[in-house]
Amino acid sequence: MGVVLSALLLASMPALSSRAATRHVTTTAVPATVGTAGKAAPSCAASGATFNDPRGNEEAQQRIIRMTESCIDGSPPGSVIRIATLDITFDYITDGLIAAHHRGVRVKVVLPSTQADEPDGSRLARSLGTDVSQGSFVRFCYNACHLTGVMHAKFSLFSKSGGASQVAMSTSSNLTPWSAHNNWNDAYTTAGNARVYAAYVRYFRSLLGPRRTFRRTYSIGDYRLWFYPTPVGTSRNQLYNILLSNIRCPRRRPTVVRVSTSLWSTTMARAARRLVALQRYGCVVRVSLQSDHTDPLIVEILRRGHVRSRFSDVGEDGRAGGSTNSHSKFITINGRYLRSDVRSVTTGTLNMTRPGSRTSDNNMIWIGGQRVHAAYVAAFDDVWEQSVGIGSASGRQATRTRPMTTREQLAAD
């Protein structure tokens, strides 16, 4: 399953060159489609990135959800489905999981305990049972599965589906209509990578108990995987701070950094200041935020540091504070990382909060390669064009007026 490394050691390793990373992507399955309204949902057997579009047609809105459904429906008898998510409220996902169980698939689902009394959660519990020693079950975690935060991990694993084996899908999307129709989200799938799949399986098993810290980091080819929580360390050891601290800004070709997040608290002010420093050193920095989920201090740091930033939650009146927003949490890097030139994406479920990595269940993945980087840049730019600048009157008006409490930082998002 790969060598387990400390997060700091792994993040300090020289990143893969864009040439090497591109070779990996192009010799595996064709990357999944970028989330434009005119393209069909990708196959479960395809490795690559997938994006939904909440402002597109129904197919575009539900692209990630429908891909998950396709993976569920394509799982043959005797195979295993493992899903961890914050919420399931799509009937056809629940129906698909129950049908898979009845045809002989072992179906294992992890949800927060708040879902136990909800219609889909209770239906799954009645059909699959809640005994984790059985072949199929639903495990309801009180708060988080490991510690006391939130069960915020979002990934689906399929031992076999759609002609592929060992499929691992990490996503920012919950399996809900809100995530499909109101959020821009992303998903990254690997098919046929035994070591990546095994790392996710190990993390899934840890969600079943007992409660304990689970910080594991893996380096597997062009991929790096991080699983949480860990209650130790300082803010410098938080993943985003490590990534940003290792970016360099050579004058001959400026490094371009794009950050998308849905929640950013004062506890991660160091990351905002690092972005300001990168901008000052000559990097090109772009940041996509949500106005109601970003602390005032973060907005002020970015504004005063002249970092180009926009709020993605724009309403019909053209002001920030609308119900449609970007829910993705990723960083793209095009340029110098330590001593290497890279094109990379780091994506998953971790928000820009310290409690998110210390007490909550979260998963993140680094992917190296020109094609996947280009896909995420296109998705970022699509949201960017529909967003409003934090320096504009409409952007400032909708900014939070007080910092988030610890409870708000741990809120389900």
Side-chain angles (χ1 to χ4, degrees):
M1 293 195 299
V3 179
V4 179
L5 303 170
S6 72
L8 185 58
L9 175 62
L10 179 63
S12 300
M13 292 170 55
L16 295 162
S17 69
S18 59
R19 179 179 301 175
T22 303
R23 182 173 63 249
H24 172 81
V25 172
T26 55
T27 55
T28 56
V30 177
T33 57
V34 178
T36 53
K39 294 186 178 181
S43 164
C44 186
S47 295
T50 306
F51 307 90
N52 77 313
D53 183 353
R55 294 181 177 173
N57 59 23
E58 184 176 357
E59 181 279 320
Q61 292 174 349
Q62 297 189 23
R63 186 172 289 118
I64 294 173
I65 309 298
R66 290 295 184 181
M67 182 172 68
T68 305
E69 179 193 31
S70 174
C71 293
I72 294 170
D73 293 346
S75 296
S79 65
V80 184
I81 296 173
R82 297 177 176 91
I83 292 179
T85 189
L86 185 70
D87 199 358
I88 299 176
T89 55
F90 268 116
D91 287 345
Y92 60 78
I93 294 294
T94 302
D95 292 342
L97 291 171
I98 293 172
H101 168 65
H102 288 320
R103 69 172 177 268
V105 180
R106 286 172 288 167
V107 179
K108 308 170 190 288
V109 180
V110 172
L111 292 167
S113 60
T114 53
Q115 299 305 304
D117 296 326
E118 295 298 323
D120 290 86
S122 60
R123 282 178 60 206
L124 287 170
R126 288 195 301 271
S127 297
L128 309 182
T130 57
D131 184 349
V132 299
S133 68
Q134 299 302 305
S136 294
F137 58 80
V138 179
R139 152 84 157 148
F140 294 108
C141 294
Y142 181 73
N143 293 328
C145 296
H146 289 106
L147 295 177
T148 59
V150 174
M151 209 309 289
H152 198 248
K154 301 174 181 66
F155 61 92
S156 301
L157 309 176
F158 305 90
S159 64
K160 293 182 180 180
S161 183
S165 61
Q166 299 173 315
V167 176
M169 182 196 310
S170 172
T171 182
S172 63
S173 179
N174 295 302
L175 298 175
T176 66
W178 182 269
S179 288
H181 304 148
N182 293 84
N183 297 151
W184 281 282
N185 278 293
D186 68 287
Y188 188 82
T189 304
T190 61
N193 191 314
R195 294 174 66 197
V196 169
Y197 177 81
Y200 276 101
V201 168
R202 180 177 182 182
Y203 182 60
F204 183 90
R205 288 172 176 164
S206 76
L207 296 173
L208 306 182
R211 286 184 178 271
R212 59 187 174 88
T213 300
F214 189 94
R215 175 65 172 266
R216 296 290 187 274
T217 307
Y218 301 86
S219 180
I220 303 171
D222 291 346
Y223 302 109
R224 299 173 187 180
L225 306 172
W226 294 266
F227 298 105
Y228 296 92
T230 176
V232 298
T234 66
S235 62
R236 294 183 181 182
N237 292 334
Q238 209 272 358
L239 175 60
Y240 292 118
N241 287 328
I242 294 173
L243 292 172
L244 295 176
S245 68
N246 287 329
I247 295 173
R248 303 293 181 259
C249 305
R251 293 183 179 181
R252 61 179 178 82
R253 186 174 72 86
T255 299
V256 182
V257 181
R258 294 173 176 85
V259 178
S260 175
T261 189
S262 62
L263 195 154
W264 197 333
S265 73
T266 301
T267 57
M268 285 294 293
R270 179 185 293 274
R273 295 189 179 98
R274 178 59 184 170
L275 288 171
V276 171
L278 291 174
Q279 179 88 6
R280 186 170 62 248
Y281 295 154
C283 286
V284 177
V285 180
R286 301 287 183 269
V287 180
S288 176
L289 308 159
Q290 285 191 35
S291 66
D292 59 345
H293 286 167
T294 304
D295 274 349
L297 175 63
I298 303 301
V299 175
E300 189 65 10
I301 291 172
L302 296 174
R303 188 183 67 82
R304 290 193 174 210
H306 306 289
V307 174
R308 290 191 62 188
S309 308
R310 293 186 178 183
F311 291 133
S312 64
D313 51 329
V314 181
E316 294 181 358
D317 60 358
R319 295 179 179 274
S323 60
T324 302
N325 53 62
S326 178
H327 190 247
S328 291
K329 308 111 171 51
F330 64 79
I331 291 180
T332 71
I333 304 171
N334 181 3
R336 183 60 59 89
Y337 186 85
L338 290 176
R339 297 181 180 180
S340 300
D341 288 329
V342 306
R343 287 186 177 91
S344 72
V345 177
T346 304
T347 186
T349 67
L350 186 63
N351 282 306
M352 287 280 195
T353 70
R354 195 181 304 175
S357 60
R358 290 192 171 187
T359 61
S360 294
D361 307 312
N362 278 293
N363 54 279
M364 296 292 288
I365 181 170
W366 160 302
I367 313 111
Q370 181 175 354
R371 295 179 70 179
V372 68
H373 175 269
Y376 272 85
V377 167
F380 181 95
D381 290 348
D382 181 51
V383 175
W384 183 266
E385 292 302 317
Q386 302 178 68
S387 302
V388 62
I390 66 171
S392 66
S394 58
R396 282 203 298 267
Q397 184 173 332
T399 304
R400 290 178 59 91
T401 58
R402 62 174 178 80
M404 281 178 275
T405 64
T406 300
R407 181 181 296 274
E408 287 174 324
Q409 291 180 53
L410 290 172
D413 182 45

